[in-house]
Amino acid sequence: MVKTYKIAVLKGDGIGPEVTEATVKVFNAVVKVSNFKLDYKYGEAGAHCIPEHGTNLPKGTVEMIKQTDACLKGPMTTPEEPGAPVSVAVTLRRMFGLYANVRPCKSFPSVESLKPNIDLVVVRENTEGLYSGAESLLAPGVAVALRIITREASLKVAEFSFKLAMQRKKHLTYIHKGNILRITDGIFKDAVKEVQQKYPEVTVDDLHIDAATMQLIKQPAIYDVMVTTNLFGDIISDEAAQVTGSLGLAAGANIGETYGMFEPVHGSAPKYTGMNRVNPIATILAGAMMLDYFGEKSGAKKIEDAVNAVLVEGKVRTADLGGKSTTSEMADAIVEKVK
Ligand code: NAD
């Protein structure tokens, strides 16, 4: 029997519609040569919804997402004024318990990078830390933000990361700032060490966040799975993506017990809105991660192979890769390779 997966598609803001449409084109090409189907359910979310709905995540969209198997999320603009709605990504991660943000960084063929042979995955705790949203003004000019770290969430993300390390090179690095944040990062460190007992085959080491940012520039090739708290993970995954080649190539998965949301690491890059200029590969590879999550390994591999083939050929390159091709030309080239 042909299996059909229901996918929520949120196009988002800025460059979001362009990169999600490119991904749907590639999905459609993969479906044609595979033994499964994708049923798209489109929903509105993002800053563009605020004037009409008073929120960036309308109720109807949440209800629609609940009826689906996974979500393809385009990047969204988050207004920065105090009191503005919380980021849609942060809300969905909490609402659906998507506790592990998985951001692979792998060297791409024929893409210039700061250092060669990178193949690492940043696993970022996705539900708490400095993204708790608990921020307040104590007095004019004096404010606090709560960095919430719990044993429960730390154990969950540690367990996920060790399992991932077991499927890869069996090397896990946990990243913290335990010399300064002794209590919060103390809990995180203890959780990693507790889970470590179950995985004696995994080589474990740790880095302070400042040293980790330096190491990612100096010798990224020696790392495999890097697990850390929310904000540190956000920062080092952008850094690792750029060291690997471009933010336009970096995909991410948000994984929970029963749901997965897939998105590019990059944001909505508002200055490029509607210019058909940015690289859609990050979102297309997020799509490959979704197929992998469904267990459609061959579909996922078709996308990865097609992306690699286009990059190796080097005829179609978007501006971030030093070329002049458009977003849609890149999508079409990948579609051709999938066929
Ligand atoms: P950004 O990632 O949108 O853009 C930073 C720069 O990276 C761009 O100016 C561009 O030079 C480059 N870039 C990004 N995506 C690219 C692509 N596909 N191809 C080529 N180059 C690309 O980061 P920002 O400017 O800090 O944020 C813009 C908005 O996006 C903000 O409102 C922010 O809150 C939001 N954001 C959303 C998400 C999300 O939805 N998950 C993630 C990060 C940022």
Side-chain angles (χ1 to χ4, degrees):
M1 205 181 78
V2 177
K3 190 148 190 200
T4 300
Y5 302 97
K6 277 191 197 160
I7 302 178
V9 181
L10 311 179
K11 292 187 179 182
D13 299 307
I15 59 170
E18 296 161 57
V19 293
T20 42
E21 275 157 25
T23 304
V24 169
K25 262 192 201 175
V26 174
F27 270 159
N28 289 339
V30 173
V31 164
K32 276 194 186 146
V33 291
S34 303
N35 197 29
F36 64 89
K37 291 206 168 353
L38 299 174
D39 178 9
Y40 309 111
K41 307 282 178 203
Y42 288 89
E44 286 297 336
H48 70 274
C49 296
I50 300 174
E52 192 188 332
H53 297 273
T55 170
N56 52 7
L57 186 58
K59 256 191 180 163
T61 301
V62 174
E63 290 311 311
M64 179 277 285
I65 294 173
K66 285 182 184 164
Q67 308 304 316
T68 59
D69 299 306
C71 175
L72 177 71
K73 182 190 152 293
M76 296 177 192
T77 303
T78 306
E80 296 192 10
E81 313 79 67
V86 174
S87 135
V88 172
V90 171
T91 308
L92 289 174
R93 287 167 187 159
R94 282 212 215 109
M95 197 178 267
F96 289 87
L98 309 176
Y99 64 91
N101 189 192
V102 185
R103 294 181 160 183
C105 278
K106 197 170 175 180
S107 300
F108 289 89
S110 311
V111 172
E112 204 178 308
S113 65
L114 207 55
K115 287 276 156 45
N117 306 322
I118 303 169
D119 184 8
L120 61 87
V121 182
V122 175
V123 182
R124 160 194 182 197
E125 200 296 319
N126 220 8
T127 59
E128 53 179 30
L130 262 175
Y131 287 61
S132 68
E135 234 194 349
S136 56
L137 197 60
L138 296 184
V142 185
V144 289
L146 287 188
R147 181 174 189 264
I148 298 171
I149 303 287
T150 63
R151 179 171 178 273
E152 190 192 352
S154 302
L155 285 172
K156 265 174 113 167
V157 78
E159 182 76 44
F160 183 96
S161 304
F162 274 99
K163 281 192 179 133
L164 184 63
M166 286 298 289
Q167 293 160 23
R168 293 175 46 96
K169 291 172 267 172
K170 299 191 173 68
H171 175 200
L172 180 140
T173 306
Y174 61 102
I175 294 160
H176 58 89
K177 190 67 181 170
N179 52 338
I180 304 296
L181 302 166
R182 292 177 186 168
I183 300 177
T184 47
D185 271 354
I187 289 176
F188 176 71
K189 283 165 59 184
D190 287 347
V192 174
K193 287 181 205 161
E194 189 176 326
V195 178
Q196 183 184 356
Q197 306 307 315
K198 290 198 271 173
Y199 297 93
E201 286 168 65
V202 178
T203 305
V204 178
D205 48 31
D206 71 317
L207 286 171
H208 289 142
I209 179 62
D210 40 345
T213 54
M214 180 269 289
Q215 284 291 351
L216 277 174
I217 291 173
K218 194 176 166 203
Q219 43 183 1
I222 68 169
Y223 296 101
D224 178 19
V225 174
M226 303 181 103
V227 59
T228 187
T229 51
N230 208 333
L231 180 62
F232 295 163
D234 200 10
I235 295 169
I236 63 166
S237 53
D238 264 37
E239 185 195 8
Q242 195 55 50
V243 170
T244 309
S246 165
L247 202 47
L249 299 170
N254 301 270
I255 306 290
E257 305 286 0
T258 56
Y259 198 74
M261 179 172 84
F262 300 82
E263 59 181 344
V265 169
H266 63 73
S268 58
K271 67 181 176 190
Y272 296 131
T273 305
M275 289 171 68
N276 197 20
R277 180 184 197 273
V278 297
N279 195 340
I281 288 180
T283 315
I284 290 169
L285 288 178
M289 292 178 86
M290 181 191 282
L291 297 186
D292 187 66
Y293 168 79
F294 288 150
E296 299 295 347
K297 308 278 176 203
S298 140
K301 189 161 184 316
K302 282 189 178 86
I303 297 182
E304 287 159 10
D305 288 349
V307 166
N308 285 338
V310 171
L311 291 173
V312 168
E313 215 169 69
K315 284 195 228 154
V316 179
R317 284 185 174 257
T318 42
D320 57 312
L321 303 178
K324 291 200 169 119
S325 308
T326 62
T327 308
S328 37
E329 282 165 353
M330 179 60 92
D332 292 343
I334 295 168
V335 164
E336 277 311 307
K337 296 291 178 198
V338 168
K339 280 182 188 168

